[in-house]
Amino acid sequence: MKKASTDIQLYVEVVRQITRRRTADREPVFAEETAEEVWKRWIIDPANANKVRWDICVGGLILCSVISIPFYIGFDMKPKGFMHALDSLSNVFFWSDILVNFRTAFVDSADDALVTDFKDISYNYLKTWFAVDFFSVVDVPSIVEFFITLSNPQAKSSGGSGGQLTKLLKVVRLFRLMKLVRLMKLGRYMDAIEETLGVQPAVFDLLVLMAQVTFVAHFFACFFHMVGAATCEARLEENADETDLCWYDNDNISIESTGDKYIAALYWAFTTMTTVGYGDITPIRESVSEKVYAIFMMMIGATVFAFVLASVSNLAESLKGSGAESKKRLATVMEYMAEKNVPPSLRLGIRRHWQYVLSTNLGLDEMSIIDKLPLRLGQHILYLAHYDTIKRISIFTYMSEECMGLKLTIFRHMMPAAFAANTLLFEAGGLPTEIYFLVTG
Protein backbone atom coordinates (compact mmCIF):
# COMPACT_ATOMS: atom_id res chain seq x y z
CA MET A 1 0.00 0.00 0.00
CA LYS A 2 2.86 2.36 0.78
CA LYS A 3 4.42 1.53 -2.60
CA ALA A 4 1.20 2.51 -4.39
CA SER A 5 1.01 5.84 -2.55
CA THR A 6 4.64 6.55 -3.44
CA ASP A 7 4.07 5.79 -7.13
CA ILE A 8 1.04 8.06 -7.26
CA GLN A 9 2.92 10.86 -5.53
CA LEU A 10 5.85 10.54 -7.94
CA TYR A 11 3.54 10.69 -10.93
CA VAL A 12 1.70 13.74 -9.62
CA GLU A 13 4.90 15.62 -8.88
CA VAL A 14 6.16 15.45 -12.46
CA VAL A 15 3.35 17.76 -13.57
CA ARG A 16 4.59 21.21 -14.53
CA GLN A 17 2.29 24.13 -15.07
CA ILE A 18 2.46 26.87 -17.67
CA THR A 19 3.63 30.11 -16.04
CA ARG A 20 3.99 33.64 -17.37
CA ARG A 21 6.49 36.21 -16.26
CA ARG A 22 8.10 39.20 -17.95
CA THR A 23 11.57 40.20 -19.06
CA ALA A 24 13.27 43.48 -18.19
CA ASP A 25 11.57 44.94 -21.28
CA ARG A 26 8.18 43.74 -19.94
CA GLU A 27 7.85 41.16 -22.69
CA PRO A 28 5.87 38.08 -21.62
CA VAL A 29 7.80 34.82 -21.29
CA PHE A 30 6.03 31.48 -20.94
CA ALA A 31 7.62 28.45 -19.31
CA GLU A 32 6.79 25.16 -17.64
CA GLU A 33 7.57 25.30 -13.93
CA THR A 34 6.77 23.46 -10.74
CA ALA A 35 5.47 25.16 -7.59
CA GLU A 36 8.94 24.81 -6.05
CA GLU A 37 10.57 26.62 -8.97
CA VAL A 38 8.02 29.42 -8.71
CA TRP A 39 8.67 29.74 -4.96
CA LYS A 40 12.37 30.34 -5.62
CA ARG A 41 11.31 33.80 -6.89
CA TRP A 42 9.28 34.33 -3.67
CA ILE A 43 6.02 33.90 -5.55
CA ILE A 44 3.33 31.75 -3.94
CA ASP A 45 1.37 29.18 -5.93
CA PRO A 46 -2.34 29.63 -4.95
CA ALA A 47 -2.77 25.84 -4.99
CA ASN A 48 0.12 25.30 -2.56
CA ALA A 49 -0.93 23.27 0.48
CA ASN A 50 0.44 25.86 2.93
CA LYS A 51 -1.36 28.66 1.07
CA VAL A 52 -4.61 26.68 1.28
CA ARG A 53 -4.12 26.26 5.06
CA TRP A 54 -3.45 29.98 5.36
CA ASP A 55 -6.65 30.76 3.43
CA ILE A 56 -8.67 28.46 5.69
CA CYS A 57 -7.22 30.17 8.77
CA VAL A 58 -8.00 33.63 7.38
CA GLY A 59 -11.49 32.46 6.42
CA GLY A 60 -12.11 31.29 10.01
CA LEU A 61 -10.98 34.65 11.38
CA ILE A 62 -13.22 36.47 8.89
CA LEU A 63 -16.14 34.36 10.10
CA CYS A 64 -15.42 35.24 13.74
CA SER A 65 -15.08 38.90 12.81
CA VAL A 66 -18.36 39.24 10.89
CA ILE A 67 -20.20 37.52 13.76
CA SER A 68 -18.76 39.70 16.52
CA ILE A 69 -19.00 43.10 14.76
CA PRO A 70 -22.85 43.27 14.62
CA PHE A 71 -22.96 42.18 18.28
CA TYR A 72 -20.58 44.90 19.45
CA ILE A 73 -22.44 47.55 17.43
CA GLY A 74 -25.93 46.40 18.41
CA PHE A 75 -25.12 46.17 22.13
CA ASP A 76 -22.73 49.19 22.17
CA MET A 77 -19.84 47.14 23.55
CA LYS A 78 -16.13 46.80 22.95
CA PRO A 79 -14.21 43.51 22.91
CA LYS A 80 -12.55 42.61 26.20
CA GLY A 81 -10.22 39.90 27.43
CA PHE A 82 -10.02 36.94 25.08
CA MET A 83 -12.19 38.59 22.41
CA HIS A 84 -9.94 41.66 22.43
CA ALA A 85 -6.89 39.42 21.97
CA LEU A 86 -8.66 37.54 19.15
CA ASP A 87 -9.61 40.82 17.49
CA SER A 88 -6.01 42.05 17.66
CA LEU A 89 -4.72 38.72 16.33
CA SER A 90 -7.24 38.88 13.48
CA ASN A 91 -5.99 42.33 12.47
CA VAL A 92 -2.42 41.02 12.40
CA PHE A 93 -3.50 38.14 10.14
CA PHE A 94 -5.53 40.43 7.88
CA TRP A 95 -2.63 42.86 7.41
CA SER A 96 -0.33 39.89 6.75
CA ASP A 97 -2.83 38.51 4.24
CA ILE A 98 -2.59 41.75 2.27
CA LEU A 99 1.18 41.28 2.01
CA VAL A 100 0.75 37.61 1.08
CA ASN A 101 -1.71 38.52 -1.69
CA PHE A 102 0.91 40.81 -3.25
CA ARG A 103 3.10 37.71 -3.68
CA THR A 104 0.42 35.20 -4.69
CA ALA A 105 0.24 34.19 -8.35
CA PHE A 106 -3.05 34.10 -10.21
CA VAL A 107 -4.34 32.35 -13.32
CA ASP A 108 -4.87 34.56 -16.35
CA SER A 109 -7.86 33.14 -18.21
CA ALA A 110 -6.74 34.79 -21.46
CA ASP A 111 -3.46 32.86 -21.59
CA ASP A 112 -4.53 29.98 -19.32
CA ALA A 113 -1.24 30.51 -17.53
CA LEU A 114 -0.17 31.13 -13.95
CA VAL A 115 1.03 34.73 -13.76
CA THR A 116 4.19 34.92 -11.63
CA ASP A 117 5.41 38.44 -12.42
CA PHE A 118 5.34 40.61 -9.28
CA LYS A 119 4.18 43.78 -11.06
CA ASP A 120 1.36 41.94 -12.84
CA ILE A 121 0.31 40.31 -9.57
CA SER A 122 0.34 43.65 -7.75
CA TYR A 123 -1.67 45.40 -10.46
CA ASN A 124 -4.24 42.61 -10.54
CA TYR A 125 -4.59 42.65 -6.73
CA LEU A 126 -4.87 46.45 -6.56
CA LYS A 127 -7.73 46.52 -9.06
CA THR A 128 -9.63 43.58 -7.52
CA TRP A 129 -9.49 42.76 -3.80
CA PHE A 130 -7.09 45.32 -2.33
CA ALA A 131 -9.77 47.95 -1.57
CA VAL A 132 -11.96 45.35 0.14
CA ASP A 133 -9.05 44.04 2.19
CA PHE A 134 -7.70 47.46 3.13
CA PHE A 135 -10.95 49.10 4.26
CA SER A 136 -12.02 45.99 6.14
CA VAL A 137 -8.84 46.17 8.25
CA VAL A 138 -8.51 49.93 8.82
CA ASP A 139 -10.45 50.93 11.93
CA VAL A 140 -12.14 54.06 10.54
CA PRO A 141 -14.45 54.65 13.57
CA SER A 142 -11.51 54.67 15.99
CA ILE A 143 -9.62 57.15 13.80
CA VAL A 144 -12.63 59.48 13.51
CA GLU A 145 -13.38 59.11 17.23
CA PHE A 146 -9.77 60.00 18.06
CA PHE A 147 -9.87 63.23 16.04
CA ILE A 148 -13.30 64.21 17.41
CA THR A 149 -12.12 63.67 20.98
CA LEU A 150 -8.86 65.49 20.24
CA SER A 151 -10.70 68.52 18.86
CA ASN A 152 -13.25 68.51 21.69
CA PRO A 153 -12.11 66.92 24.99
CA GLN A 154 -15.71 67.18 26.29
CA ALA A 155 -16.98 64.91 23.53
CA LYS A 156 -17.64 62.02 25.89
CA SER A 157 -19.41 64.05 28.56
CA SER A 158 -23.13 63.65 28.98
CA GLY A 159 -24.32 67.25 28.96
CA GLY A 160 -24.58 70.12 26.47
CA SER A 161 -22.61 69.83 23.30
CA GLY A 162 -20.77 66.89 24.82
CA GLY A 163 -24.01 64.88 24.76
CA GLN A 164 -24.53 65.71 21.09
CA LEU A 165 -21.00 64.62 20.29
CA THR A 166 -21.58 61.39 22.20
CA LYS A 167 -24.51 60.66 19.89
CA LEU A 168 -22.31 61.54 16.93
CA LEU A 169 -19.71 59.04 18.12
CA LYS A 170 -22.38 56.33 18.25
CA VAL A 171 -23.29 57.09 14.66
CA VAL A 172 -19.60 57.02 13.66
CA ARG A 173 -19.26 53.57 15.21
CA LEU A 174 -21.71 52.30 12.62
CA PHE A 175 -18.83 52.61 10.18
CA ARG A 176 -17.56 49.39 11.74
CA LEU A 177 -20.07 47.73 9.44
CA MET A 178 -17.55 48.42 6.69
CA LYS A 179 -15.64 45.48 8.09
CA LEU A 180 -18.50 43.25 6.94
CA VAL A 181 -17.19 43.62 3.39
CA ARG A 182 -14.91 40.77 4.46
CA LEU A 183 -17.90 38.56 3.75
CA MET A 184 -17.18 39.15 0.07
CA LYS A 185 -13.81 37.48 0.55
CA LEU A 186 -15.24 34.54 2.46
CA GLY A 187 -16.53 33.10 -0.79
CA ARG A 188 -12.93 32.82 -2.03
CA TYR A 189 -12.15 30.37 0.76
CA MET A 190 -15.29 28.22 0.56
CA ASP A 191 -13.77 25.76 -1.93
CA ALA A 192 -10.74 25.25 0.32
CA ILE A 193 -12.97 24.75 3.37
CA GLU A 194 -15.16 22.28 1.46
CA GLU A 195 -12.11 20.30 0.34
CA THR A 196 -10.76 20.23 3.90
CA LEU A 197 -14.04 19.01 5.40
CA GLY A 198 -14.33 16.34 2.72
CA VAL A 199 -18.16 16.19 2.82
CA GLN A 200 -20.56 15.78 -0.07
CA PRO A 201 -21.21 19.03 -1.97
CA ALA A 202 -24.93 18.82 -1.18
CA VAL A 203 -24.24 18.41 2.55
CA PHE A 204 -21.78 21.30 2.47
CA ASP A 205 -24.30 23.48 0.65
CA LEU A 206 -26.87 22.63 3.33
CA LEU A 207 -24.44 23.63 6.08
CA VAL A 208 -23.68 26.89 4.25
CA LEU A 209 -27.40 27.60 3.88
CA MET A 210 -27.97 27.05 7.60
CA ALA A 211 -25.01 29.31 8.41
CA GLN A 212 -26.33 32.03 6.09
CA VAL A 213 -29.80 31.99 7.65
CA THR A 214 -28.31 32.01 11.14
CA PHE A 215 -26.08 34.97 10.30
CA VAL A 216 -29.01 36.95 8.88
CA ALA A 217 -31.00 36.26 12.07
CA HIS A 218 -27.97 37.20 14.20
CA PHE A 219 -27.52 40.45 12.26
CA PHE A 220 -31.16 41.51 12.61
CA ALA A 221 -31.27 40.46 16.26
CA CYS A 222 -28.32 42.69 17.14
CA PHE A 223 -29.83 45.71 15.41
CA PHE A 224 -33.26 45.01 16.90
CA HIS A 225 -31.59 45.51 20.27
CA MET A 226 -29.88 48.68 19.04
CA VAL A 227 -33.22 50.12 17.91
CA GLY A 228 -34.73 49.16 21.25
CA ALA A 229 -31.87 50.74 23.20
CA ALA A 230 -32.24 53.97 21.21
CA THR A 231 -35.98 53.93 21.94
CA CYS A 232 -35.31 53.44 25.66
CA GLU A 233 -32.88 56.34 25.75
CA ALA A 234 -35.24 58.66 23.86
CA ARG A 235 -38.27 57.84 26.02
CA LEU A 236 -36.31 58.27 29.26
CA GLU A 237 -35.23 61.72 28.11
CA GLU A 238 -38.88 62.61 27.50
CA ASN A 239 -40.21 61.11 30.74
CA ALA A 240 -37.99 59.59 33.41
CA ASP A 241 -41.00 57.82 35.00
CA GLU A 242 -42.04 56.06 31.81
CA THR A 243 -42.50 52.29 32.17
CA ASP A 244 -43.07 51.10 28.59
CA LEU A 245 -39.60 51.95 27.32
CA CYS A 246 -38.89 49.48 24.51
CA TRP A 247 -39.46 45.91 23.39
CA TYR A 248 -37.26 44.38 26.12
CA ASP A 249 -38.36 46.69 28.96
CA ASN A 250 -42.12 47.15 29.30
CA ASP A 251 -45.12 45.96 31.30
CA ASN A 252 -45.15 42.54 29.57
CA ILE A 253 -41.44 41.70 29.60
CA SER A 254 -38.34 42.96 31.39
CA ILE A 255 -34.91 41.63 30.47
CA GLU A 256 -31.77 42.82 32.23
CA SER A 257 -28.69 40.81 31.22
CA THR A 258 -27.00 41.24 27.84
CA GLY A 259 -27.06 37.50 27.18
CA ASP A 260 -30.82 37.26 27.81
CA LYS A 261 -31.45 40.28 25.60
CA TYR A 262 -29.47 38.69 22.77
CA ILE A 263 -31.30 35.36 23.05
CA ALA A 264 -34.66 37.16 23.12
CA ALA A 265 -33.72 39.26 20.07
CA LEU A 266 -32.46 36.18 18.19
CA TYR A 267 -35.65 34.32 19.10
CA TRP A 268 -37.72 37.25 17.72
CA ALA A 269 -35.61 37.33 14.53
CA PHE A 270 -36.06 33.62 13.82
CA THR A 271 -39.82 33.63 14.54
CA THR A 272 -40.24 36.68 12.29
CA MET A 273 -38.08 35.28 9.46
CA THR A 274 -39.94 31.96 9.49
CA THR A 275 -43.32 33.80 9.53
CA VAL A 276 -44.25 32.12 12.82
CA GLY A 277 -44.46 35.26 14.98
CA TYR A 278 -45.68 34.01 18.35
CA GLY A 279 -46.35 37.57 19.52
CA ASP A 280 -44.71 37.30 22.94
CA ILE A 281 -41.93 39.73 21.90
CA THR A 282 -43.20 42.69 19.91
CA PRO A 283 -42.42 46.38 19.37
CA ILE A 284 -44.15 48.65 21.86
CA ARG A 285 -47.13 50.67 20.64
CA GLU A 286 -45.47 54.03 21.23
CA SER A 287 -42.27 53.32 19.28
CA VAL A 288 -42.43 54.17 15.58
CA SER A 289 -38.78 53.15 15.04
CA GLU A 290 -39.36 49.64 16.42
CA LYS A 291 -42.45 49.21 14.23
CA VAL A 292 -40.64 50.40 11.11
CA TYR A 293 -37.76 48.02 11.86
CA ALA A 294 -40.24 45.15 12.38
CA ILE A 295 -41.93 45.91 9.03
CA PHE A 296 -38.58 45.90 7.26
CA MET A 297 -37.65 42.68 9.04
CA MET A 298 -40.89 40.99 7.94
CA MET A 299 -40.22 41.95 4.32
CA ILE A 300 -36.74 40.49 4.50
CA GLY A 301 -38.01 37.48 6.45
CA ALA A 302 -40.56 36.56 3.78
CA THR A 303 -37.83 36.71 1.13
CA VAL A 304 -35.40 34.63 3.20
CA PHE A 305 -38.09 32.06 4.02
CA ALA A 306 -38.95 31.62 0.33
CA PHE A 307 -35.24 31.33 -0.52
CA VAL A 308 -34.73 28.68 2.18
CA LEU A 309 -37.67 26.59 0.97
CA ALA A 310 -36.45 26.66 -2.63
CA SER A 311 -32.86 25.89 -1.63
CA VAL A 312 -33.79 23.00 0.66
CA SER A 313 -35.95 21.50 -2.10
CA ASN A 314 -33.01 21.58 -4.53
CA LEU A 315 -30.61 20.22 -1.91
CA ALA A 316 -32.98 17.34 -1.13
CA GLU A 317 -32.65 16.23 -4.75
CA SER A 318 -28.87 16.64 -4.65
CA LEU A 319 -28.55 14.63 -1.43
CA LYS A 320 -29.89 11.57 -3.23
CA GLY A 321 -26.51 11.55 -4.94
CA SER A 322 -25.21 9.26 -7.63
CA GLY A 323 -26.64 6.21 -5.87
CA ALA A 324 -30.12 7.27 -6.94
CA GLU A 325 -28.87 7.74 -10.50
CA SER A 326 -27.37 4.22 -10.45
CA LYS A 327 -30.68 2.69 -9.31
CA LYS A 328 -32.52 4.64 -11.98
CA ARG A 329 -30.24 3.40 -14.76
CA LEU A 330 -30.42 -0.19 -13.46
CA ALA A 331 -34.24 0.03 -13.39
CA THR A 332 -34.14 1.21 -17.03
CA VAL A 333 -32.04 -1.83 -17.99
CA MET A 334 -34.42 -4.21 -16.22
CA GLU A 335 -37.44 -2.63 -17.94
CA TYR A 336 -35.71 -3.02 -21.30
CA MET A 337 -35.06 -6.72 -20.66
CA ALA A 338 -38.67 -7.27 -19.59
CA GLU A 339 -39.96 -5.49 -22.69
CA LYS A 340 -37.73 -7.54 -25.01
CA ASN A 341 -38.56 -10.82 -23.22
CA VAL A 342 -34.92 -11.58 -22.42
CA PRO A 343 -34.68 -15.14 -21.04
CA PRO A 344 -34.25 -15.36 -17.24
CA SER A 345 -30.94 -17.21 -17.72
CA LEU A 346 -29.49 -14.10 -19.41
CA ARG A 347 -31.17 -11.56 -17.16
CA LEU A 348 -29.13 -12.57 -14.13
CA GLY A 349 -25.82 -12.15 -15.98
CA ILE A 350 -26.88 -8.81 -17.47
CA ARG A 351 -28.08 -7.56 -14.09
CA ARG A 352 -24.82 -8.54 -12.38
CA HIS A 353 -22.81 -6.90 -15.15
CA TRP A 354 -24.68 -3.60 -14.83
CA GLN A 355 -24.52 -3.68 -11.05
CA TYR A 356 -20.75 -4.03 -11.29
CA VAL A 357 -20.39 -1.30 -13.93
CA LEU A 358 -22.57 1.12 -11.98
CA SER A 359 -20.75 0.34 -8.74
CA THR A 360 -17.42 1.19 -10.32
CA ASN A 361 -18.46 4.58 -11.68
CA LEU A 362 -21.41 5.36 -9.37
CA GLY A 363 -23.76 5.76 -12.29
CA LEU A 364 -21.66 8.46 -13.89
CA ASP A 365 -20.30 8.49 -17.41
CA GLU A 366 -16.69 8.81 -16.31
CA MET A 367 -15.19 9.21 -19.76
CA SER A 368 -17.56 12.01 -20.72
CA ILE A 369 -16.31 13.90 -17.66
CA ILE A 370 -12.65 13.19 -18.35
CA ASP A 371 -12.99 14.08 -22.04
CA LYS A 372 -13.96 17.62 -21.01
CA LEU A 373 -10.74 18.04 -19.02
CA PRO A 374 -7.30 18.94 -20.41
CA LEU A 375 -5.43 15.82 -21.52
CA ARG A 376 -2.83 15.94 -18.74
CA LEU A 377 -5.38 16.56 -16.02
CA GLY A 378 -7.61 13.80 -17.36
CA GLN A 379 -4.66 11.40 -17.23
CA HIS A 380 -4.09 12.39 -13.61
CA ILE A 381 -7.68 11.56 -12.71
CA LEU A 382 -7.53 8.22 -14.48
CA TYR A 383 -4.27 7.25 -12.79
CA LEU A 384 -5.38 8.22 -9.30
CA ALA A 385 -8.86 6.70 -9.61
CA HIS A 386 -7.80 3.41 -11.23
CA TYR A 387 -4.29 2.87 -9.90
CA ASP A 388 -5.02 -0.61 -8.47
CA THR A 389 -6.72 -1.77 -11.68
CA ILE A 390 -3.91 -0.51 -13.91
CA LYS A 391 -1.36 -2.41 -11.82
CA ARG A 392 -3.30 -5.67 -12.32
CA ILE A 393 -3.51 -5.47 -16.11
CA SER A 394 -0.71 -7.74 -17.33
CA ILE A 395 0.12 -5.87 -20.55
CA PHE A 396 1.08 -2.78 -18.56
CA THR A 397 3.68 -4.68 -16.54
CA TYR A 398 5.86 -4.82 -19.65
CA MET A 399 5.76 -1.04 -20.07
CA SER A 400 8.08 1.28 -18.13
CA GLU A 401 6.94 4.21 -15.98
CA GLU A 402 8.10 6.58 -18.72
CA CYS A 403 5.29 5.19 -20.87
CA MET A 404 2.61 6.22 -18.38
CA GLY A 405 0.92 8.48 -20.93
CA LEU A 406 0.65 5.56 -23.38
CA LYS A 407 -0.69 3.30 -20.62
CA LEU A 408 -3.44 5.77 -19.77
CA THR A 409 -4.32 6.31 -23.43
CA ILE A 410 -4.81 2.55 -23.84
CA PHE A 411 -6.69 2.32 -20.54
CA ARG A 412 -9.16 5.00 -21.63
CA HIS A 413 -10.32 2.73 -24.45
CA MET A 414 -10.90 -0.23 -22.12
CA MET A 415 -14.34 -1.06 -20.76
CA PRO A 416 -14.99 -2.62 -17.33
CA ALA A 417 -16.99 -5.83 -17.44
CA ALA A 418 -18.24 -8.45 -15.01
CA PHE A 419 -19.41 -11.98 -15.80
CA ALA A 420 -21.23 -14.58 -13.79
CA ALA A 421 -19.52 -17.87 -13.00
CA ASN A 422 -19.37 -20.41 -15.85
CA THR A 423 -19.99 -17.73 -18.50
CA LEU A 424 -18.37 -18.63 -21.83
CA LEU A 425 -16.21 -15.74 -23.07
CA PHE A 426 -14.23 -17.39 -25.84
CA GLU A 427 -14.33 -20.81 -27.43
CA ALA A 428 -11.22 -22.49 -28.79
CA GLY A 429 -11.05 -22.17 -32.56
CA GLY A 430 -13.44 -19.22 -32.60
CA LEU A 431 -12.77 -15.80 -34.14
CA PRO A 432 -11.27 -13.46 -31.52
CA THR A 433 -13.02 -10.08 -31.41
CA GLU A 434 -12.02 -8.82 -27.95
CA ILE A 435 -9.16 -9.00 -25.49
CA TYR A 436 -9.90 -9.62 -21.80
CA PHE A 437 -7.58 -8.86 -18.89
CA LEU A 438 -8.46 -10.63 -15.68
CA VAL A 439 -8.41 -8.21 -12.74
CA THR A 440 -10.30 -10.17 -10.08
CA GLY A 441 -11.84 -13.62 -10.00
Side-chain angles (χ1 to χ4, degrees):
M1 197 65 180
K2 183 181 292 186
K3 178 66 164 58
S5 302
T6 303
D7 289 345
I8 292 176
Q9 186 64 28
L10 288 174
Y11 180 64
V12 171
E13 285 180 353
V14 299
V15 176
R16 307 169 72 86
Q17 53 192 336
I18 303 297
T19 62
R20 190 191 78 195
R21 51 180 171 170
R22 294 185 183 274
T23 63
D25 298 330
R26 306 301 297 159
E27 292 295 327
V29 176
F30 294 90
E32 287 189 353
E33 297 180 289
T34 64
E36 290 74 14
E37 291 171 339
V38 171
W39 173 244
K40 290 178 181 179
R41 302 196 302 276
W42 295 95
I43 299 298
I44 303 171
D45 185 343
N48 182 272
N50 291 326
K51 178 61 167 63
V52 172
R53 295 188 190 100
W54 172 265
D55 289 343
I56 293 174
C57 182
V58 172
L61 292 174
I62 290 176
L63 191 60
C64 293
S65 177
V66 298
I67 290 174
S68 62
I69 288 171
F71 181 83
Y72 293 138
I73 294 176
F75 289 85
D76 194 20
M77 298 173 61
K78 291 186 177 181
K80 298 179 180 179
F82 172 77
M83 292 306 299
H84 177 71
L86 181 62
D87 188 60
S88 300
L89 179 65
S90 298
N91 286 331
V92 172
F93 268 81
F94 294 148
W95 281 114
S96 301
D97 189 53
I98 291 177
L99 299 178
V100 168
N101 287 329
F102 273 110
R103 306 297 304 186
T104 301
F106 69 95
V107 176
D108 186 352
S109 57
D111 296 327
D112 195 22
L114 188 69
V115 178
T116 60
D117 181 76
F118 173 69
K119 290 185 178 180
D120 287 348
I121 293 172
S122 300
Y123 177 73
N124 179 74
Y125 180 52
L126 287 171
K127 72 177 184 180
T128 53
W129 289 102
F130 175 75
V132 172
D133 291 343
F134 181 77
F135 287 106
S136 67
V137 177
V138 175
D139 194 353
V140 176
S142 295
I143 296 174
V144 175
E145 184 176 342
F146 171 77
F147 282 107
I148 291 177
T149 306
L150 188 65
S151 61
N152 190 340
Q154 304 298 322
K156 294 187 178 181
S157 63
S158 58
S161 62
Q164 296 296 325
L165 287 173
T166 300
K167 293 180 180 179
L168 176 61
L169 290 176
K170 289 184 178 180
V171 175
V172 169
R173 287 169 189 160
L174 289 176
F175 281 96
R176 290 179 184 170
L177 290 175
M178 291 176 60
K179 294 181 179 290
L180 294 184
V181 296
R182 293 172 184 162
L183 277 173
M184 298 172 60
K185 286 201 67 179
L186 195 58
R188 296 174 58 189
Y189 307 124
M190 296 308 292
D191 290 340
I193 294 173
E194 183 178 357
E195 288 293 331
T196 302
L197 293 177
V199 298
Q200 293 184 19
V203 174
F204 184 77
D205 290 341
L206 181 61
L207 294 175
V208 170
L209 177 64
M210 293 173 61
Q212 290 173 340
V213 173
T214 303
F215 175 75
V216 172
H218 165 75
F219 183 87
F220 283 110
C222 293
F223 283 90
F224 187 46
H225 176 271
M226 187 179 73
V227 173
T231 302
C232 277
E233 185 177 347
R235 291 180 64 78
L236 281 174
E237 288 180 359
E238 294 174 1
N239 185 357
D241 298 326
E242 185 65 60
T243 55
D244 286 344
L245 296 177
C246 61
W247 67 266
Y248 62 79
D249 191 357
N250 54 62
D251 292 337
N252 299 323
I253 185 173
S254 180
I255 305 174
E256 297 294 337
S257 71
T258 300
D260 291 342
K261 290 178 184 177
Y262 173 73
I263 294 299
L266 189 64
Y267 163 78
W268 174 83
F270 269 116
T271 55
T272 305
M273 286 172 55
T274 56
T275 69
V276 176
Y278 291 115
D280 48 350
I281 298 179
T282 59
I284 61 173
R285 295 189 301 273
E286 295 81 1
S287 175
V288 175
S289 59
E290 289 186 1
K291 291 178 181 177
V292 170
Y293 186 82
I295 292 172
F296 177 72
M297 178 63 188
M298 283 184 275
M299 293 171 58
I300 297 296
T303 305
V304 171
F305 186 62
F307 172 74
V308 169
L309 288 179
S311 299
V312 170
S313 176
N314 292 332
L315 288 173
E317 290 295 322
S318 301
L319 284 171
K320 293 179 181 180
S322 55
E325 181 66 22
S326 298
K327 291 180 181 178
K328 182 178 178 180
R329 294 181 65 179
L330 183 60
T332 302
V333 173
M334 299 305 293
E335 290 175 3
Y336 172 81
M337 290 191 294
E339 181 181 344
K340 300 302 180 181
N341 295 319
V342 177
S345 57
L346 291 179
R347 288 190 187 186
L348 179 60
I350 296 174
R351 181 185 178 90
R352 287 180 177 177
H353 168 77
W354 272 100
Q355 285 177 332
Y356 172 76
V357 171
L358 293 175
S359 67
T360 56
N361 58 26
L362 301 177
L364 303 173
D365 188 354
E366 183 181 44
M367 287 306 159
S368 67
I369 296 174
I370 292 177
D371 287 340
K372 295 177 182 178
L373 298 174
L375 177 61
R376 193 67 173 175
L377 186 57
Q379 289 179 342
H380 266 75
I381 299 300
L382 274 178
Y383 189 80
L384 294 173
H386 301 284
Y387 175 83
D388 291 335
T389 303
I390 292 173
K391 287 294 182 182
R392 292 193 183 102
I393 296 177
S394 57
I395 191 175
F396 293 150
T397 60
Y398 298 97
M399 302 172 67
S400 64
E401 291 298 322
E402 287 74 14
C403 299
M404 184 57 67
L406 178 59
K407 286 184 184 180
L408 296 175
T409 301
I410 296 173
F411 183 76
R412 291 182 65 165
H413 294 282
M414 293 182 174
M415 179 182 296
F419 301 96
N422 301 318
T423 300
L424 180 63
L425 299 182
F426 180 74
E427 187 174 3
L431 180 66
T433 57
E434 296 174 308
I435 300 176
Y436 295 93
F437 296 96
L438 185 62
V439 177
T440 57

